[in-house]
Amino acid sequence: SSWQRRAVFAMVESAWAHHITPQTFVRWIPGAESFFKSNAQRRFGRAQDMSEEECKLLAEYVVATMATPASAESAAAVCFEPFCKPVEIEGATIKQRLRQLQM
């Protein structure tokens, strides 16, 4: 029903806002890896030009990639940290400028 969809969407949105990604589920929750693998295999199975074995292997690869340590996530913070510092622009902070846009 629509209220269930809205509830699930609100949970996903809240998780995303708290930096919980599908990769986080695969890494932290027992059984999530097999869930994501079967889901990916089912989606890849819809492709007309892929064999069942290719779908299985691609799903395993995707989930294995998701289960690796978060090196890219950590690298982004390290690489962009020097550039991502709050600064005042034209006498106002970014938060103040955003508030003005939302009014």
Side-chain angles (χ1 to χ4, degrees):
S1 72
S2 63
W3 73 267
Q4 290 171 324
R5 253 188 228 139
R6 285 194 306 263
V8 168
F9 184 75
M11 286 180 2
V12 169
E13 194 173 50
S14 177
W16 189 262
H18 290 89
H19 307 288
I20 298 172
T21 64
Q23 290 84 350
T24 306
F25 288 122
V26 169
R27 292 180 197 131
W28 291 355
I29 299 175
E33 191 170 328
S34 64
F35 169 79
F36 279 95
K37 191 182 299 180
S38 63
N39 188 16
Q41 192 169 351
R42 186 177 64 250
R43 283 187 295 125
F44 297 142
R46 296 180 193 150
Q48 300 292 326
D49 58 346
M50 289 180 72
S51 70
E52 188 175 326
E53 183 66 17
E54 289 173 323
C55 293
K56 179 183 171 226
L57 292 172
L58 184 57
E60 288 175 2
Y61 170 77
V62 168
V63 173
T65 303
M66 292 171 72
T68 59
S71 61
E73 295 160 19
S74 300
V78 171
C79 292
F80 297 120
E81 191 266 337
F83 308 106
C84 296
K85 295 186 180 186
V87 295
E88 286 195 26
I89 301 173
E90 299 175 18
T93 64
I94 292 173
K95 286 183 180 180
Q96 291 167 338
R97 294 180 73 198
L98 284 173
R99 264 190 247 121
Q100 289 173 353
L101 291 174
Q102 293 172 352
M103 292 183 182

